[in-house]
Structures are given as structure tokens and as C-alpha cells.
Amino acid sequence: MPSAVSSDPVNSEPKQTLKRKRNDYEPEGSIRVPPPLSPQLLLLQLPTLLAHPPSHPLHIPGLHLSLLAYRKCLSLGGLTPDSECRALLGIVEVGIRVAGAGLSTRPEAEWTWAARIENEVERSIGKGLLLCEQHTSLRIHKVHFLSLHVRLAIWQHNFKNDPPHTLYMPHLSLISLALSSNPPDIPQALQSTATLSELAVKLKDQPILLLSNVIRLRILMKGEQWTDVPESLQQVETLLRFEVDPALPNSTNAQGVAFRTFETSFDAAMAVHTLMLGIVYYTQIGNSIEASKRLAHLHFLLDSGLLEAFPQGLVSVVLQSGPPLLLRVTHPRILLQLAFLTSSISKRDPVGRKPRRKAFAQEGLSMIESESRGFIDLPLWSGLHEMNEVTMGISKIKADLLCELAAVAISRSEFSDAKTLLSDLISYTRSTGLFPSFAARIALHQAHLAHATGNSPRAMLCYRAAAHLGGEGTWLWASARAGEIGLRIGLGDQSELSPLDRETLQLCRGSGGTLECVGRVLEAASTDEIVKAKQHLKLSLEMATAAQDNHLRALVLAITSSYYFHTAGDHALVMLRTCRQLAAGMGSSDASGSSQSEGATGNAALGLWVGERFLEIYNRQGRLDKVEKQKVLNEEFTSALGRIVEFASQAEPGRS
């Protein structure tokens, strides 16, 4: 059926299919070419083509032409704020390179183009900073302009143009920016810290030199560059003069040990941060003596009300000239909670009725709960961002304290408490949005709990989940992989170690402290050479003793005694007695002495293993009275293991 024709003269023409309109510059039958760039954009891109290294013969001509390109770009006009900012920044960067090469001071006629380049650079910096203030989108370049201005002032040895505090702030901003990136830019942060330290030396500002060294120590520990930490820590402690000097203000604690006190808020803040970093480092490498010294000093300072010197987290740094520098440091509310967490992790011994690791963690959680609704003192200019930083920091510390309590409960065979604590940890991290950050650690604790209660399939699954979530090469990955290797060895796996297993043990050996000790125990268990195994066990025993980690020390003693059981019975007997005492102390009953409470027999599995060795020795020696007593004790351990199996079956109903 034919369609009707419109009587409207406008619409009387047949409709045409819409087609892309061809640009005038695009010839028919050719490919589409982009529109030509404006002269301003071409001039902005030209210096990237002219850039050459200093060893290139065209390096200096490239600098000259780059300056001409930026100057011509600015003279054309009609620039957008972003293009104008880029051109000004280009003049500053190239100009500083020209001035740094000494070209502006040469009297020859061929270098007239570089004369008075410092003045042009300073004018460009001023214009650039003004642009950054006028346009919000350009404020990201403000730190770059300021840092370049500082470089120019250092090269000119001209520190009187700007107050010193304005010279320090760009470097502090660059350090914060490098550390806040994901992942943190450790090399850039260290480079900015070195520049800050050099500037402090030139301006003779001792507090800024101390600040730069404390920041460097924190960066090294954050980047896990452990080989450089001892020297950096010693430098900071020397600047703080921790060693007691009769000429310095100091006091003594209840034990009569002299500690230095600090008068200014800045020194107090730096001292607290340094002591905490030192405790964490010496705990990491397993040196409990050095960690305990700094922990005692830290508690003395906190008990003296040191944190009251900066209640809002602000400290004032007095400089040689100009106004003081106002710094924002870690809020004292966070520092107080960190003190409990640091104290808990530094105490590795789970033996006794009230181990200090558990006591510090419980006290920290109690304080967080009591102050959860308290007022957090912040400056008037603070915003919700600063408030959220403090509250989130406390939330992370609470999750860490729950992890410590769960770990010590597992090591003390308090399995029902450990299960409850892990459930609380999961619930808390999910409600606060911290679960992704703690998922690997939670899986590792679940693996340890399943391993300790004999649920091998679940332990293997959790170890692998923890390694996957932790990420290859991290300490969490190494710890989870080491746990899996130990579980396989315990189940009687006689196969040789895989390349991945050997990589794990190598990473453990380079980690120091507990991980290195565990790695050497696994190497001893996986080698057929008795001499080499004894060497590994001897080193691991020394490390566990130095760290005061009696949980790990008991395991090493038990394994070592098996090598001397048939050849040096008296020597083995001494180790077994020490192992029995440690096993009994891991889960000692409270003051009420309830013998049926969970963990009252200590580590039941280790206690039974040691008891069976004692029974064999007593039978060999013909000491029948000892044999009967040991049989009774072994029955108690067997009964305790039965309760553990029952607990594991209730926790996992589907377990066969």
C-alpha cells in the first residue's frame, strides 16, 4: 500500500539518512586525521622532545630552546589556567637546572640567555603560587612549586627570603604524600627526608634534625628495611640523649632506675614515638632485654603525665629564626592505646597465671571501652577527617588487641576463650569496615586454633587461605606457609620439601625473631643430617630464650631432647624437666585452683608427650614408684586431650 505524501512543503522532500559530516580538512577517501594543535600546546610539548641527559652534547642547547619555548608560550596569551601553570612550572624546573649548572654566572657572550635566570625563576614561582590559590584544580601543584623554591634557596644559600618554617613545610608535605600513596613510595620518602635533614643542618635547627631522623626511622621500619634500622635508631636515641646524664633533667622509677624526662612538648612527642619504634624493632628481632629497657622508660614517661604536654596532638617547634613551626603528631589518645598494644606484643611469654601479654591486652581493651564515649580533644580548625582518623586509629588498635588475646588464649590451651575472641574479632572488624585488613590474620588465628585442637583438615584449609590473603612474600604469607609445612610434618609427611617450601624457609630465616626460630625448627625436622638438625635447634633455642618466648622454647626443648634420649639420657632428662614445667605453666589455673577448668593441665598434648618419655625412662631405670605416679599424670593428660577432641567436635559438627 503506497504511503501518503505530506502536503507540507518543508517536509515534502524525501528524508535523508543521517551521516557524519566530513570536516573540511579531511579529504574524501582518506583516513581521519586529528585537528591541528594550537601553537600554545605545541610549545608546551616541545621541551619533552628537547630533553637530553647531561652527558649528551645537546643537553645545554636543549635547555636554552626549552626556555625559549616556555617564554614564547606565555607571550602568546589566551592560555587556560592549566596550560599557564604548566608553562610557569616548566620555566622553574629548567631554570633551576640552568642555575645549578652555573651557566647564569658565566661572563661570555654566548651565555647571555642564562643571565639573571634566578630572578625569572622566582617570578615564575610567585605567579604559579598565585594561580594555585585562585584555581582549586591547580592546588595540587602548590607543593611542587614550594619544593622547587626551597631547592633554589638552598642552591643560592639564601635562607633569609622566607621564614624557615615555610621552607620546611613543603618537604614534610612531600613525605606525607609519599607515605600515603598505595603502596607507599619508600625511596621518595627517604629522599625527601634526607633533603629535610640537610636543610635543618644548614639552618642549624636541631629540633628539625631530630624530627627528620625520627621520620627516617619510621620510614625504614614501614618499608621493612631492617638492616638500616639499628644505625638510624641509635642516631635518634643519641639526639634525644636517652643515656642518663647528671646535667640533664632526669628522675627514677620505683626500681631506682634513672630515666630522662623531657620538658618541651616536641621532645616529649619524639621520645614517645622513638621508644615505641625501638620496642617494636627489638621485639621483631627477638631481643627482649633491649625491648624491656625501652618499655620501662616508656611506662615511666606515660605515668608521669607526659601526654598532657600536647593534649590536642599539636606541638610547637622553636626555630633559630622566624616564627615556630606548628606540627601535628599522633594524637595522645592513640599513643596511650598504642602503649598497651606495644607492651602486649613485646611480652612473648604465655607461662604463668597472669601472663603480662594477656594483662596488657585486657587493660588496653578496658580503657578503650571506658573512653569510647569520651570527648576527643582536637583543635578548633579540625574537621571530620581528623576526627575519623583518630577514631579509626583506635578501632585498629582494638582489633590488634583482640588478635593478641586470641593468640595468647590459643597458646595457653584456652580454646573456648579463643573461639569467643575470634568471633568477637570477626564481628568487630566487619562492623567497622576493617575486615579486609584483618582477614589474613583472622584466618591464621583460625588455623592455629584448629591445629592446636587436632582438626588437621580445617587447619590446612585456613593456613592456605591466610597465605593467599596475606600475599606472597609478606610475613603473614611466610607464617601461614610455615604452619602448613609444620602440619604436614606432624601428620607424617616424609616427602621432600618443594621449591615453594624452601622459599618459605629462606624467607623465615631472613625475617629474624620468631619466624626465623620457627624456620630453623622446620629445617631441623626436614633434614636427615643429625648434626645439622642439632645446629638448627641450638640456634632456635638461643633465639627463643633471648626473646623470652617460652611457648616456642618448650617445643624446641622437646624436639632437642629426642636427639639425646638414647645417647645422653641425663642431658635429655634435664631438657624434659624444663619442658614439663613450661608445658604446665601454659594454662595454669587461677588463684582458686580449679583443677577441672579448661587449660588447668597446661599444654595437654606436650604434657602427655613429655610424660610418656618420663615413663619410658623410669621403666628403663626400674623406678617403679615413679612409674606409678607418672601413669596417673599421663591419665590426666589423656583425659584433657579427650576434652579437647570433644571441644573440636562441638565446634565442627560435621567433623568425623
Side-chain angles (χ1 to χ4, degrees), residues 2-57:
S3 60
V5 179
S6 172
S7 60
D8 187 355
V10 177
N11 298 324
S12 59
E13 297 181 1
K15 295 183 179 179
Q16 298 181 351
T17 306
L18 294 177
K19 295 183 179 180
R20 179 177 58 83
K21 183 179 180 181
R22 187 176 72 247
N23 295 324
D24 296 336
Y25 60 84
E26 181 181 349
E28 187 173 355
S30 65
I31 62 173
R32 185 185 180 188
V33 297
L37 294 176
S38 64
Q40 292 89 338
L41 291 179
L42 285 173
L43 290 170
L44 280 177
Q45 296 298 327
L46 183 59
T48 60
L49 303 176
L50 299 173
H52 297 289
S55 58
H56 198 279

Side-chain angles (χ1 to χ4, degrees), residues 43-52 58-73 86-87 90-95 97-98 113 120:
L43 290 170
L44 280 177
Q45 296 298 327
L46 183 59
T48 60
L49 303 176
L50 299 173
H52 297 289
L58 296 179
H59 173 68
I60 294 179
L63 294 178
H64 185 191
L65 291 177
S66 297
L67 277 177
L68 293 177
Y70 286 129
R71 291 168 180 168
K72 184 65 176 177
C73 178
R86 289 173 57 191
I91 288 181
V92 175
E93 291 178 337
V94 176
R97 296 175 68 185
V98 171
W113 60 271
E120 184 178 4

Side-chain angles (χ1 to χ4, degrees), residues 557-559 561-562 576 579 604-614:
L557 284 171
I559 298 176
S561 66
S562 63
L576 287 172
C579 185
L606 183 58
L608 179 59
W609 186 88
V610 173
E612 290 174 347
R613 304 288 83 73
F614 270 114

Side-chain angles (χ1 to χ4, degrees), residues 218-270:
R218 176 176 175 252
I219 295 172
L220 290 175
M221 294 185 65
K222 187 178 183 67
E224 298 183 359
Q225 299 183 14
W226 303 111
T227 55
D228 298 328
V229 170
E231 181 182 358
S232 178
L233 180 59
Q234 184 179 6
Q235 290 176 354
V236 176
E237 292 181 343
T238 301
L239 290 172
L240 285 168
R241 295 182 291 181
F242 276 153
E243 294 295 331
V244 176
D245 188 341
L248 298 175
N250 58 77
S251 184
T252 56
N253 64 355
Q255 288 73 33
V257 181
F259 293 124
R260 187 194 168 188
T261 57
F262 300 90
E263 296 179 345
T264 66
S265 60
F266 173 74
D267 289 340
M270 294 301 101

Side-chain angles (χ1 to χ4, degrees), residues 414-448:
E414 298 166 353
F415 301 125
S416 59
D417 291 344
K419 181 183 176 183
T420 302
L421 287 166
L422 288 176
S423 299
D424 294 342
L425 176 61
I426 293 172
S427 175
Y428 181 74
T429 52
R430 284 191 178 277
S431 63
T432 55
L434 295 174
F435 185 78
S437 303
F438 284 83
R441 292 175 63 183
I442 293 173
L444 185 60
H445 288 312
Q446 294 281 13
H448 290 160

